[in-house]
Amino acid sequence: MRSNSNKVGFRIALLIGIVEILAMTVLFLVMNGNLTKVLEDKAVRDMNVIARDRAQMIETYISGCCDFLSGYSKTTEIREVLAHPDDPAYIQASREQTKLFAQGEDNIEGLYAAQWDTYVLAHINPDSVDKTFRDADSAKKLEEMIRAHVGAFCTGIVMAPVTKKMVIPIYAPVYDDEGEMAGFAGGAFYT
């Protein structure tokens, strides 16, 4: 009889062991799934916060660049050179003003004033003055884009043709004394 009772006891112990293993497995899977979900949700929330913060930083940077270019476009020397593009005195004054305005700014790849055909009158790079950088169709499209905006605006991120570095091109119309757009100021700010 002892043998039967040992068998029954063994079967009961085995059954209890199997039930415990199944219960622990189910408990583990539920806890693991919940923990994974919690960790995934936290990671997504953290990434969203980081993305929002970075987007805000980028917006602030671009806004600062637009403000900088807007200030440059409103200087007397830049307005005057576009009103008198053939006068050497105004050209020289605009070039000096351009260098002074950019002085101490290490995030600028280019800062310039140009006529609508993209002929550059003043630039921080002396090799870029007295040149037209766009063909007639491209210059006309740029003029239309600038005229469609009241102030400085960003056109995205591009690779600078000279330095081959990523820059944010920003343009701003330059207004004459009558409030008409006389040309434009441009800037390329390093990303």
Side-chain angles (χ1 to χ4, degrees), residues 5-164:
S5 105
N6 282 343
K7 286 183 183 179
V8 171
F10 177 74
R11 286 184 185 167
I12 291 173
L14 182 63
L15 187 59
I16 291 172
I18 291 172
V19 169
E20 283 179 354
I21 290 173
L22 288 175
M24 292 302 234
T25 302
V26 169
L27 182 62
F28 170 77
L29 292 174
V30 168
M31 292 300 289
N32 187 40
N34 286 341
L35 184 59
T36 301
K37 179 71 173 141
V38 166
L39 292 175
E40 285 175 353
D41 290 347
K42 182 177 178 350
V44 168
R45 280 192 312 273
D46 290 349
M47 286 189 293
N48 284 335
V49 167
I50 291 168
R52 276 193 304 272
D53 289 349
R54 287 186 179 174
Q56 183 62 44
M57 287 173 50
I58 292 167
E59 286 176 26
T60 300
Y61 179 70
I62 291 172
S63 177
C65 293
C66 286
D67 290 346
F68 181 85
L69 187 65
S70 182
Y72 170 74
S73 74
K74 293 174 184 174
T75 61
T76 302
E77 293 83 359
I78 300 308
R79 288 185 10 249
E80 290 295 331
V81 76
L82 286 165
H84 309 284
D86 298 321
D87 189 319
Y90 288 113
I91 292 171
Q92 184 60 31
S94 71
R95 290 177 182 176
E96 289 173 11
Q97 174 63 20
T98 300
K99 286 179 189 174
L100 283 172
F101 209 86
Q103 194 171 16
E105 297 291 328
D106 59 353
N107 66 330
I108 298 175
E109 189 266 346
L111 180 66
Y112 63 95
Q115 295 174 307
W116 289 121
D117 64 356
T118 70
Y119 181 78
V120 176
L121 297 165
H123 198 293
I124 59 172
N125 181 351
D127 295 334
S128 296
V129 295
D130 299 325
K131 293 181 181 176
T132 301
F133 284 93
R134 293 179 184 240
D135 61 54
D137 288 339
S138 179
K140 188 66 178 163
K141 287 178 186 172
L142 179 61
E143 178 183 353
E144 289 169 359
M145 189 181 348
I146 293 169
R147 286 185 181 277
H149 290 82
V150 176
F153 65 98
C154 170
T155 60
I157 297 175
V158 298
M159 183 182 293
V162 176
T163 62
K164 303 295 185 213

